[in-house]
Amino acid sequence: MIEATDALDVVRAGALTTVQDAGRVGWAHLGVPRAGALDAPARRLANRLVGNPVDAAVLETTITGCAVRPGRLVVAVVGGAPCRVTVDGRPVAWGTPVRVPAGAVLDAGPAARGLRSYLAFGGGLLPEPVLGSRSTDVLSGLGPAPLREGDVLPLGHGPSRPAGIDAAPWPGAPAELVLPLYLGPRHTWFTNEALRTLETATYRVSSHSNRIGLRTEGPPLKRARTGELPSEGMVLGAVQVPPDGCPVVFLDDHPTTGGYPVVGVVHETALAGAAQAVPGTRVRFVRAG
């Protein structure tokens, strides 16, 4: 039973709000995806600003934001995608720590730019960990379910005042997503013309993108070989090419195996921008190795 003073009540869940930390690293051999915050730098910075360890669990919203009510005074910050932030209807600063009194409603509105905002609370969120992580995995269903109105989340104890730094620069949503690409392991399944297309064409972020993968729209990549591969291991950042020929960049909730050929891999350090790239954003793949 969660004490009311150690709880965070969900007033408005939003389109897709989940609990996320650094994810479940080291379980792919058992078929368990990594999960975790898609915009890892935003998650780390939000935690730093409220005095938490950088891997503490936060809320990740999608497009429409969310609203929560703490049972006691808590220091919070809303970062990631810029949005209107209020406490009991009064505007407060986005991207900097604020004190939210017990029983007050902290509301993170719809994203003004980008897709995903991050709400960090002093002491972190403490739902029961699964395989070492508190993250929601939308593919496997591990971890806490996506938030619904009326849900109650356990809230850790943190400082009653912000950390020493009270503001920091936040990266903006990309006007163009440039992804450095390391070819392989299945680039030989595509024609030379297709590989040139991949490196020179401009793609667009598809509205069908999600936490599993960033889907693109643009010139299809033609194969040099027919047939399909047996399922093989998939890594974060793998660029898989399904039958329609349009590349899909695997994100944190990606499956751990797949049978469509992987033309290349984007290093995970370049994927934070994918978390904030709205549908229609230009995407370019740049040969890195």
Side-chain angles (χ1 to χ4, degrees):
M1 187 73 176
I2 305 171
E3 294 289 338
T5 55
D6 293 331
L8 193 71
D9 296 329
V10 178
V11 176
R12 181 174 64 84
L16 177 65
T17 301
T18 58
V19 177
Q20 300 294 342
D21 55 20
R24 296 180 180 85
V25 178
W27 298 98
H29 64 295
L30 297 179
V32 177
R34 173 173 170 169
L38 290 191
D39 189 342
R43 182 253 303 158
R44 290 193 292 264
L45 180 52
N47 274 319
R48 285 178 53 211
L49 288 171
V50 296
N52 287 343
V54 294
D55 291 341
V58 302
L59 292 180
E60 177 184 276
T61 71
T62 309
I63 302 174
T64 59
C66 73
V68 294
R69 179 189 293 114
R72 56 175 166 77
L73 172 69
V74 66
V75 176
V77 66
V78 180
C83 62
R84 185 173 186 266
V85 184
T86 62
V87 173
D88 272 353
R90 297 186 299 274
V92 296
W94 168 88
T96 63
V98 296
R99 286 161 58 91
V100 184
V105 174
L106 173 66
D107 192 303
R113 296 183 302 279
L115 291 175
R116 295 176 173 90
S117 297
Y118 291 86
L119 284 69
F121 305 90
L125 300 173
L126 302 178
E128 193 67 26
V130 178
L131 298 179
S133 171
R134 306 182 197 277
S135 288
T136 301
D137 180 347
V138 300
L139 180 65
S140 72
L142 291 175
L147 267 56
R148 298 175 298 181
E149 278 80 5
D151 282 351
V152 178
L153 293 171
L155 186 61
H157 284 271
S160 59
R161 296 186 178 278
I165 180 171
D166 61 1
W170 294 85
E176 180 179 57
L177 189 59
V178 179
L179 299 175
L181 182 73
Y182 296 84
L183 284 184
R186 302 298 178 186
H187 60 290
T188 57
W189 277 59
F190 298 90
T191 65
N192 290 332
E193 178 186 358
L195 296 179
R196 285 193 296 271
T197 296
L198 181 64
E199 296 176 28
T200 58
T202 297
Y203 289 84
R204 300 273 177 178
V205 174
S206 166
S207 60
H208 297 292
S209 300
N210 53 30
R211 282 187 49 87
I212 296 170
L214 182 138
R215 295 181 176 273
T216 66
E217 298 171 345
L221 303 181
K222 296 179 181 178
R223 289 195 188 180
R225 300 177 59 174
T226 58
E228 297 298 340
L229 288 160
S231 287
E232 56 187 0
M234 293 289 145
V235 299
L236 180 64
V239 182
Q240 193 183 64
V241 184
D244 67 3
C246 292
V248 177
V249 183
F250 275 173
L251 302 179
D252 292 64
D253 287 3
H254 71 85
T256 57
T257 61
Y260 298 137
V262 171
V263 68
V265 177
V266 176
H267 195 278
E268 66 177 272
T269 55
L271 294 178
Q276 304 295 358
V278 301
T281 299
R282 297 187 302 274
V283 181
R284 288 195 299 117
F285 296 95
V286 178
R287 179 82 170 269

